[in-house]
Amino acid sequence: MNRQQAKLLRRSIKWIVSATLTVVLLTGCTSGTGNNVSNAGNANTASAKPVAIDPQPSTVFYEVFVRSFYDSDGDGIGDFKGLTEKLDYLNDGNPETDDDLGIGGIWLMPINPSPSYHGYDVTDYRDINPDYGTMEDFKEFLDEAHKRGIKVIMDLVVNHTSNEHPWFLDAARNKDGKYRDWYIWAEDQKLKTRGTSSASSRNPWHNAGGDHYMGIFWEGMPDLNFDNPEVRQEMKDTGLFWLEQGVDGFRLDAAKHIYEDLRTDKGQETTDANVKWWQEFRGSLVEKYPDTYLVGEIWDPSAALIANYLDNALESGFNFGLSESIIQAAKKEKDNNIGLTLEKTYSLFREKSGDEFVDATFLTNHDINRVMTQLDGNVDHAKMAAGLLLTLPGNPFIYYGEEIGMLGAKPDESIREPMQWHAGGSGQGQTTWEAVNFNTGAEGSSVEEQVSDPDSLQSHYRKLIGIRSSVPALRDGTIGDIDSGNDSVTAYLRLTDQQTVLVAHNLTETEQSIDLAKAGEEFSFKSILKSTREGATLEGNKLTIPGYTTLVIE
């Protein structure tokens, strides 16, 4: 079944459920029936709960910086052969085993040739960075990932190129050449060389041969001119090229900056221009590859802004506001109404997307101080942040090393340090492309040490991903808010048309209790389905939760 067929099926299911709920409401009936789809037993039905049952079938993604991950040839730089060698750590393809992390998708940071270590300034959109290997190495990696049921999306950086890209070199020296109008030149377009960049807070104009080009991030990244139809076609063709190689979709860098160049550009008209381009881009891809997944970096806390991009443009936009809320809840050990916020957010997303969206949730990424550093090294807080992330709707994205508590803070190089595989920080495959400032081989900080420790952060991540995979409402459901009545406990409902569960997180070290009657009379929660720690009890409506524990109740 392809994505278009799946959408039709989902719409049919939602219509049936909606009609059923309407009949229930009109007849005053408060009971319902549903098929048992839980591995653990009886599943509750959504009944007349006024929560829209819009499933978000999800996959746990893992963000990889190839340079830092695993080195196969001893040059100190991670590569595709090394990543392929470590696929079984991420997912060995065997659902009967539990010693792999259990992820279902990989997001590759830029893999194209680039003069920079990070790759976000591309010099060739249709080749592989030679530091990482060859196109053949990449295709072998794709094949092995797909054998294990792992989807692969890659960073696509179309807002700008490198200033060493052949297009830009030609444009800078040849005012009458083909590529001149592929970039934005102040003198050509009679623009004033002033203003403040919407991305860097600096002047976005840079000198080249006496003329000035737009580069909102820095001078090494000249912006492309998307008013030029040749640029638009080139980028659509580039997307198709990589889909033909076998990738499953793209993470779209700087998705809101295609037209948002200056701080004065912010506004609905500019947003509409961005959305129109991404609609065009998406349409060109899904016509041939209907299952293409597009997730955008729309770095903004506004759900209303992100919602614009879900209108037949992107399937997901990274939820930056949620990442901050999760980390603060874990750090302060206090409920901050995540369920209520998301319930309202998803109502807006449904309206804008025609019920076709999947949230993209995360704790941190390659641009943000690592979560363990933000949490001051507190492993219990890190476990609770992971518990929140992995029990919420959408596609959760885990930044490489997050599962072992890697540390890091700005500058960017220090939040992209080598993955720590071995005790003491050295061993086979360990990347050494830069000296580490934060991850210096402290005891217990490596995969080698944590993978066999049942109380480690890495084991906690494995457990949570396993729980998510085994409970349909966690994996694919939407969210409903409830008031736990206890500021130390975050609780919410997760719902599909066939199963409803209640998730409760005790954010503190001290045992806490909540009254499940607050979930509403239409729900009757009878048993503890999953727990990250022993000692929880359910007596009548009284749920008692041990310290720093995540529970799933059915």
Side-chain angles (χ1 to χ4, degrees):
M1 179 185 296
N2 66 33
R3 180 164 288 166
Q4 299 301 321
Q5 292 169 325
K7 283 183 177 180
L8 291 174
L9 178 59
R10 286 173 59 194
R11 285 172 178 158
S12 298
I13 291 171
K14 284 185 281 187
W15 184 89
I16 293 169
V17 172
S18 177
T20 302
L21 293 180
T22 300
V23 170
V24 168
L25 290 169
L26 290 174
T27 58
C29 178
T30 59
S31 63
T33 59
N35 295 326
N36 177 15
V37 295
S38 169
N39 292 339
N42 296 328
N44 295 308
T45 303
S47 185
K49 180 70 175 178
V51 175
I53 308 296
D54 287 306
Q56 294 186 54
S58 73
T59 300
V60 178
F61 278 81
Y62 190 87
E63 179 187 358
V64 173
F65 185 31
V66 177
R67 183 173 298 274
S68 284
F69 202 63
Y70 197 81
D71 171 22
S72 72
D73 58 12
D75 66 355
I77 297 173
D79 46 51
F80 278 114
K81 285 186 176 180
L83 179 53
T84 302
E85 189 175 336
K86 282 298 182 181
L87 281 174
D88 281 352
Y89 167 75
L90 299 175
N91 187 336
D92 63 10
N94 183 355
E96 301 302 317
T97 61
D98 61 4
D99 55 353
D100 56 323
L101 199 57
I103 59 95
I106 291 174
W107 157 23
L108 297 171
M109 287 172 61
I111 61 172
N112 302 119
S114 167
S116 300
Y117 82 92
H118 51 72
Y120 281 99
D121 45 348
V122 174
T123 56
D124 187 341
Y125 281 99
R126 303 193 190 185
D127 203 356
I128 297 294
N129 189 325
D131 285 346
Y132 298 164
T134 65
M135 184 67 80
E136 288 70 28
D137 295 335
F138 175 66
K139 288 184 177 179
E140 181 182 0
F141 155 72
L142 281 178
D143 288 343
E144 291 299 320
H146 289 155
K147 285 179 185 178
R148 293 163 173 79
I150 302 172
K151 298 178 181 180
V152 177
I153 65 174
M154 60 176 280
D155 240 309
L156 193 61
V157 188
V158 304
N159 178 74
H160 51 263
T161 70
S162 168
N163 64 352
E164 297 182 27
H165 195 294
W167 300 341
F168 183 76
L169 295 176
D170 183 87
R173 63 174 173 255
N174 186 359
K175 294 184 180 181
D176 297 320
K178 171 183 177 180
Y179 296 108
R180 180 70 174 189
D181 192 49
W182 283 40
Y183 296 88
I184 303 168
W185 297 91
E187 288 75 14
D188 295 358
Q189 299 189 16
K190 296 180 173 53
L191 300 171
K192 296 178 180 179
T193 56
R194 62 172 183 252
T196 303
S197 164
S198 62
S200 68
S201 299
R202 296 187 293 267
N203 189 307
W205 294 103
H206 310 283
N207 187 289
D211 288 342
H212 297 82
Y213 63 90
M214 176 79 77
I216 64 171
F217 287 94
W218 71 297
E219 65 182 23
M221 295 177 173
D223 286 17
L224 286 163
N225 176 18
F226 277 83
D227 285 332
N228 185 325
E230 291 182 341
V231 171
R232 299 169 85 95
Q233 189 60 51
E234 177 66 27
M235 291 310 169
K236 289 185 288 187
D237 290 345
T238 295
L240 288 169
F241 171 83
W242 288 106
L243 292 174
E244 288 165 5
Q245 309 314 307
V247 302
D248 299 290
F250 304 100
R251 180 265 187 185
L252 301 169
D253 183 66
K256 74 171 186 173
H257 290 294
I258 299 300
Y259 286 99
E260 187 185 272
D261 299 323
L262 305 175
R263 288 195 178 276
T264 54
D265 290 340
K266 292 179 181 291
Q268 191 61 45
E269 184 177 356
T270 301
T271 297
D272 290 345
N274 285 323
V275 171
K276 184 177 180 181
W277 152 245
W278 291 121
Q279 289 172 335
E280 180 182 333
F281 179 76
R282 181 180 185 80
S284 70
L285 305 185
V286 299
E287 182 178 359
K288 188 172 181 181
Y289 297 95
D291 292 332
T292 301
Y293 176 56
L294 299 180
V295 53
E297 181 201 28
I298 310 160
W299 197 328
D300 199 286
S302 170
L305 177 66
I306 294 172
N308 288 278
Y309 290 84
L310 304 179
D311 179 12
N312 291 303
L314 312 182
E315 198 162 7
S316 303
F318 282 109
N319 198 328
F320 284 87
L322 177 64
S323 71
E324 295 179 10
S325 295
I326 291 174
I327 292 173
Q328 288 305 307
K331 186 172 186 175
K332 295 180 179 179
E333 300 191 350
K334 188 173 182 179
D335 177 38
N336 55 10
N337 298 313
I338 286 174
L340 178 61
T341 300
L342 285 182
E343 191 173 23
K344 292 179 177 179
T345 297
Y346 293 166
S347 177
L348 178 60
F349 285 1
R350 282 193 297 271
E351 178 184 349
K352 286 287 188 177
S353 70
D355 293 345
E356 301 297 342
F357 77 95
V358 180
D359 201 3
T361 60
F362 68 102
L363 297 178
T364 59
N365 61 27
H366 61 279
D367 287 323
I368 302 172
N369 290 348
R370 282 189 173 271
V371 62
M372 186 60 92
T373 294
Q374 292 191 54
L375 296 176
D376 302 319
N378 188 310
V379 175
D380 289 319
H381 289 172
K383 287 181 177 181
M384 296 316 299
L388 287 162
L389 174 70
L390 291 166
T391 57
L392 290 171
N395 290 332
F397 285 75
I398 299 168
Y399 186 37
Y400 80 94
E402 205 160 72
E403 77 278 14
I404 57 171
M406 282 181 60
L407 301 164
K410 296 280 189 176
D412 287 346
E413 292 87 340
S414 292
I415 51 180
R416 303 166 186 176
E417 289 187 354
M419 177 72 173
Q420 298 298 295
W421 293 104
H422 304 284
S426 63
Q428 182 176 354
Q430 183 66 53
T431 61
T432 56
W433 68 272
E434 72 161 340
V436 294
N437 293 318
F438 287 89
N439 302 284
T440 55
E443 184 178 357
S445 62
S446 68
V447 171
E448 180 182 20
E449 294 163 287
Q450 291 195 29
V451 72
S452 58
D453 177 1
D455 293 325
S456 72
L457 183 59
Q458 202 270 0
S459 293
H460 193 74
Y461 267 85
R462 291 204 318 268
K463 180 183 293 185
L464 286 166
I465 294 172
I467 289 173
R468 183 184 183 90
S469 299
S470 66
V471 180
L474 289 185
R475 186 183 63 240
D476 301 330
T478 189
I479 194 166
D481 173 57
I482 66 165
D483 179 7
S484 72
N486 184 332
D487 286 345
S488 298
V489 176
T490 290
Y492 38 80
L493 302 170
R494 294 296 313 281
L495 312 93
T496 66
D497 60 304
Q498 293 182 314
Q499 184 186 34
T500 296
V501 297
L502 182 145
V503 181
H505 308 270
N506 180 356
L507 303 172
T508 72
E509 182 180 15
T510 306
E511 181 180 275
Q512 301 290 334
S513 297
I514 63 172
D515 182 1
L516 295 188
K518 291 180 177 292
E521 295 181 358
E522 61 271 30
F523 297 112
S524 178
F525 294 102
K526 300 296 186 183
S527 62
I528 298 171
L529 179 60
K530 302 287 183 179
S531 177
T532 59
R533 183 176 291 182
E534 295 181 356
T537 60
L538 177 58
E539 298 177 357
N541 284 323
K542 183 181 179 182
L543 177 65
T544 302
I545 316 170
Y548 298 130
T549 299
T550 293
L551 298 180
V552 182
I553 315 298
E554 66 170 350

